[in-house]
Structures are given as structure tokens and as C-alpha cells.
Amino acid sequence: MTAYNAVRFKVKQGMEKAFEDAHRINPVFKGFKGGGLVKTGDRAYCFVGAWDSMDTLAAARPQMLPILDSMRHMLEDLGGGLGVTDPVSGTAVVEFPASKA
């Protein structure tokens, strides 16, 4: 099954466009199947990525951290001891095929 990672962010006022633009990259990570940055609310975003496996996701973390580090100045602390990101990852237990409408 596919592995997924999701990271929740809150962007500082006035930094939304810069944050979105910083994600307009063509990442080359082994096992990365694609992903997207989703605007979930006012200055709130979530990145979701799909991976061949948890192993390929874990192997790509050292390459992903510098990308995140370049954006940290744009992010607000989420509170509750989370810091500026709320990351989760895991392997799908159910997957859905694309609709054929």
C-alpha cells in the first residue's frame, strides 16, 4: 500500500503568496509519487505527499528538511507544543481508485 505524509502549517500574515510560491518546485525524491499543498482555511495549509513506501519516505527526510527550513520564517507556531508544523505519516489501510466519470 501507498505511504502518505501530511504536514499542517499556519502561515504568518502577509506571507501566504511567498509560502505558496516556495512550494512551486519539482522535487526529485526516490519513491515520491506526487503531492499537493492544500489551503484549508485563512492562512492554514496542509501538504500531502504520496510515497512508494514508508522506507522511501523516511529516506527522503534528509532532503526534505532543508526545504522546510527555508520556509520556517514564514510560519506561525501552532501552539500546544507543536512548533511550526504538525507532521504525520503512515501507510494506507484503504485506497480508492480514481473515479471514471
Side-chain angles (χ1 to χ4, degrees), residues 40-84:
T40 60
D42 182 38
R43 297 184 297 123
Y45 294 84
C46 184
F47 172 83
V48 179
W51 299 83
D52 286 339
S53 68
M54 287 301 295
D55 288 340
T56 58
L57 168 58
R61 284 189 181 123
Q63 293 172 274
M64 291 188 287
L65 283 175
I67 297 169
L68 173 61
D69 288 343
S70 74
M71 301 176 200
R72 286 187 191 277
H73 69 283
M74 301 180 207
L75 303 175
E76 283 188 8
D77 192 296
L78 295 169
L82 291 172
V84 296

Side-chain angles (χ1 to χ4, degrees), residues 10-17 42-43 74-76:
K10 179 91 176 194
V11 178
K12 291 179 181 175
Q13 185 73 37
M15 299 295 291
E16 298 92 339
K17 183 173 181 337
D42 182 38
R43 297 184 297 123
M74 301 180 207
L75 303 175
E76 283 188 8

